[in-house]
Amino acid sequence: HLTQEKFSLAVEWIGKAMDNNYPIRFGLEFQGDIALMKGDKNQANYYWKEAKDKGNHSLRLRDKYHE
């Protein structure tokens, strides 16, 4: 079970990773996954769309995000 505090920590670490050259397109996908786990489908779709727009065309992302 992830608590609210652990969601916040995960988002923080993903942000740090992206600041240190982790591909933004993948970090955005993970942020969308966390938003979905928190129950926010709209926010998840926002992040997944951003990930797609930044060049993430993985099958995994296509399974999650449908325009």
Side-chain angles (χ1 to χ4, degrees):
H1 234 72
L2 286 175
T3 63
Q4 183 64 37
E5 179 181 321
K6 290 189 181 184
F7 282 129
S8 297
L9 187 59
V11 169
E12 178 184 338
W13 278 101
I14 291 168
K16 287 179 181 181
M18 289 189 298
D19 289 344
N20 287 290
N21 298 319
Y22 184 77
I24 291 172
R25 65 187 180 271
F26 299 127
L28 290 168
E29 180 182 354
F30 290 135
Q31 287 180 319
D33 295 345
I34 291 168
L36 184 64
M37 286 186 250
K38 290 170 60 177
D40 192 340
K41 180 75 173 173
N42 289 331
Q43 187 71 26
N45 278 322
Y46 169 79
Y47 282 122
W48 293 334
K49 181 183 182 317
E50 289 292 308
K52 182 181 177 208
D53 290 347
K54 299 262 186 234
N56 183 341
H57 301 292
S58 71
L59 292 175
R60 184 179 63 233
L61 180 60
R62 280 189 245 163
D63 287 343
K64 296 179 225 180
Y65 175 70
H66 309 285
E67 291 185 84

